[in-house]
Amino acid sequence: MRNHTTDYLLLLLLALIWSASFLLIKIGVATIGPVTLTAARMVIASVLLLLCLAVMRVGIPLHRRALALYFAVGFMGNTLPFILIGWGEIHIDSSLAAIMMGVMPITTFVLAHYFVPDEPMTARKVIGIGLGCGGLLTLVGWSALAGIGAHALGQLAVLAAAVCYGVVTVFVRTQPAFGGVQTAAGVVIVGMLTSVPLAFVLEDPLAFALDAAGIIAALLLGIFPTALASLLYFRVIRNLGATTFSQLNYAIPVFGGLWGVLLLGERLEPRMLAALGFVLAGVYFIQSKTKTRP
């Protein structure tokens, strides 16, 4: 049996990285359009990972299965959901969006049962998913559900993004492992090739009046939540499984609140700690007593 301590720590690191991206996006979109910001982070991440490949003197696999993985994660796991969430949050509150994104772990849980042989539905996993949902509702409050029914298109956009993430997570779990840097590079390059044209079609990237804060936000988004997170993403899914990885979606809003406490001087609410406890308990129930990969 394999010791997954490092993988759990990487899972928490991913939650910290991706939760900080919401703060960086908020800073970036003050002067840069959301599609252009997505394209910029993809360009920056692509350059960084291509430099890593050059130093390592390795190329990117271009066989059919590798290309399918790059496109699935690059477009359906990055470009499309980034745009859908950004557009959806123009019309609905972020707290309601967080609840809508809770569909992702449920989608992953159901799909993994049918497409990943060693991730069947179990009572423990049902409890784990329930605890994760409980943590999310503890964080945002039941009052956030009051917005359901208004701005249906915005809600459908966020739900579609959540389903995209669930489908891609299960797809990655079923694919053979390639080199970590090579796979990450292929994914972000596809993200770049799809997001840059969309930025010019949907926005006017050259017309934005950039400031230092926006540029720094774009650079940090490219380095950490895109390039570094892409390197960690594939390892965590393969070692811990799609269903455990999907619990990350419940932890991200919790860590986002903690970033606000640390960087913006916001008040530490007891519900944040309670929500984190629910999420960690959910991960325990999902992963504990299950077969681990050798």
Side-chain angles (χ1 to χ4, degrees), residues 18 21 24 37 68 71 100 102 108 124 132 139 147 156 220-221 224 237 245:
W18 278 334
S21 68
L24 294 173
L37 185 62
F71 181 81
M100 296 291 180
T108 304
R124 293 184 67 90
L139 180 68
L156 287 174
L220 292 176
L221 281 167
F224 295 103
I237 289 179
F245 174 84

Side-chain angles (χ1 to χ4, degrees), residues 244-262:
T244 299
F245 174 84
S246 70
Q247 290 293 93
L248 184 79
N249 212 63
Y250 294 132
I252 286 174
V254 179
F255 284 119
L258 294 177
W259 278 117
V261 172
L262 293 173

